Each structure stands twice: as structure tokens, then as C-alpha cells.
Amino acid sequence: DQQVKQNSPSLSVQEGRISILNCDYTNSMFDYFLWYKKYPAEGPTFLISISSIKDKNEDGRFTVFLNKSAKHLSLHIVPSQPGDSAVYFCAAGAPGTYKYIFGTGTRLKVLA
Amino acid sequence: GAVVSQHPSRVICKSGTSVKIECRSLDFQATTMFWYRQFPKQSLMLMATSNEGSKATYEQGVEKDKFLINHASLTLSTLTVTSAHPEDSSFYICSARGRAGAQETQYFGPGTRLLVL
């Protein structure tokens, strides 16, 4: 049972345009969400997070939106750069626990 | 920023041998560390939560006698894959719970690729 889902395994975007990566979850107890970026043969790198009391969090070119009623979050990258090409994982955690459940990842390719 | 290291980065071993993987938090103390496993094109799957000075908590379906975890200090956790078999070949990643500035989150190591022949 996949509690965190990223239904798009891959995405290609032209440099300078917006990249939108989506993530859905099923457990309404999740209250903390994160996005990680991962290059091949490396560990994930933390990008941005959002708690359930917010619906938007912005950090530079990265913005995460949370729609609690739809159990959906998205990561917007604008403008996209070739160096953003990587696999992006969303993760979710429940209150009182530091265990995160990860999605299957979306491979983003930014074309120069 | 918070840095987590893993050693070795890559290991090849024969079936039946044991392999130890180290995870260190370099510039912060981590009372809690996590061990994940990632198969190709799949998600990171949490194997166990490692707390300093106490027994690890294993996720359902993970054999604690096969994957031995020791969190001996606030900066070191080890995962030992005992009697490894080819199906144990995977990418093993640790993370440590820590704080960088105002942000507390999990910081991941670079991973260890295990290949069991």
C-alpha cells in the first residue's frame, strides 16, 4: 500500500520554464511534507518542506504548495535550470514521529 | 550545514559473508538515525530507526537478525548485513535527524552500494 505516490515517473522541461512535480498521499495523519533531490549513486539532498498549517512555502526558485483537502502537494521550480536535472522524491511524516514515507520519485530532465 | 558520511561507498562481497556499513554525522549530534534501502527505480524504504544507546526499531518485514544495527555514539550508527545473499544487493542509505539553522530535518548520507555475488 503506497501511502505517498508520485504518479509521473519522469518529466522533461525546457530550460527557463517552470517544472511542476506532483505528489499525492493517502494518510490524513501526515502533517509534515518534504521534497528531496537525488543524483545517481548519491544520497538525497533536502530541498524544501511544508507543515500542514501552511499551504505554501517558498525558497528561492523552489515553491511547495499543499492542498490538504485533496491530499496533494506540488513542487514548482522556476526558472528551471539544467543543474536541476535529478530525481525528486516527496516524503511525508506523521505527528510525533520522525519517520518519513517516501514516494517513488520523479526524474526531472531540464533541457538546455 | 549538516553533513552525514557513509563508509564504504561501494562494496562487493561473496554470498554468505557479512558486511558492515558505517554512518556518521560529522558536525552535529544525532540521537536518531535511520537506515533506508533503495532498489533500482523504487522508493527509499525505511528499514529501521536507530536510537543512540538503545535497540533499533525495525519496520515490518525487516529481519532484525539479518540487519544488525548498532548506534554506539551520538555520531555513529552501523548497519551489518549478516550472511549476505544476492537479493540483499541494493543501495543502502542512512540519515540522521539534525538541525541546520532553524530547520530540523533528516540529513542523508551519500549511500552505500552493496553487490553480493
Side-chain angles (χ1 to χ4, degrees):
Chain A
D1 178 31
Q2 192 74 24
Q3 295 187 66
V4 179
K5 300 177 185 178
Q6 291 176 256
N7 292 318
S8 297
S10 64
L11 174 69
S12 290
V13 171
Q14 205 66 35
E15 181 180 8
R17 306 295 289 269
I18 185 171
S19 296
I20 300 176
L21 298 105
N22 294 303
C23 179
D24 297 291
Y25 61 96
T26 58
N27 189 341
S28 57
M29 295 297 292
F30 289 146
D31 71 340
Y32 192 63
F33 305 89
L34 310 94
W35 283 94
Y36 283 86
K37 175 180 176 180
K38 186 179 181 300
Y39 294 112
E42 293 184 12
T45 304
F46 170 74
L47 265 181
I48 193 169
S49 65
I50 188 167
S51 74
S52 59
I53 61 173
K54 291 186 168 184
D55 54 19
K56 177 183 174 181
N57 189 24
E58 196 171 347
D59 184 1
R61 296 186 297 114
F62 303 92
T63 303
V64 56
F65 295 92
L66 175 62
N67 182 334
K68 290 184 287 294
S69 60
K71 296 192 182 71
H72 176 84
L73 64 155
S74 61
L75 173 68
H76 292 210
I77 307 173
V78 56
S80 302
Q81 300 173 354
D84 296 329
S85 298
V87 178
Y88 289 78
F89 290 95
C90 68
T97 174
Y98 292 93
K99 297 197 305 186
Y100 298 149
I101 307 297
F102 282 79
T104 50
T106 297
R107 181 177 301 279
L108 173 66
K109 191 170 184 179
V110 180
L111 307 169
Chain B
V3 178
V4 176
S5 70
Q6 271 183 252
H7 178 80
S9 58
R10 183 189 297 260
V11 57
I12 301 173
C13 68
K14 292 182 179 179
S15 185
T17 60
S18 294
V19 175
K20 181 188 280 190
I21 303 169
E22 292 186 349
C23 177
R24 294 181 185 272
S25 57
L26 298 184
D27 50 1
F28 65 101
Q29 293 183 331
T31 53
T32 305
M33 289 185 172
F34 303 88
W35 286 95
Y36 293 83
R37 180 168 56 183
Q38 185 187 25
F39 292 107
K41 297 185 180 179
Q42 293 189 25
S43 179
L44 282 78
M45 299 299 295
L46 179 65
M47 298 174 66
T49 302
S50 169
N51 295 297
E52 187 266 337
S54 64
K55 289 183 179 180
T57 304
Y58 290 81
E59 294 301 301
Q60 193 173 12
V62 178
E63 299 175 57
K64 62 180 182 181
D65 294 329
K66 181 168 184 62
F67 299 100
L68 301 178
I69 291 172
N70 186 352
H71 196 153
S73 75
L74 287 171
T75 59
L76 173 64
S77 175
T78 60
L79 167 69
T80 301
V81 183
T82 62
S83 187
H85 288 98
E87 59 265 29
D88 297 324
S89 299
S90 187
F91 193 54
Y92 292 86
I93 306 173
C94 73
S95 72
R97 184 181 142 213
R99 180 182 292 273
Q103 177 70 51
E104 177 161 332
T105 185
Q106 286 187 35
Y107 294 92
F108 284 82
T112 297
R113 185 162 299 284
L114 170 64
L115 177 61
V116 185
L117 302 176

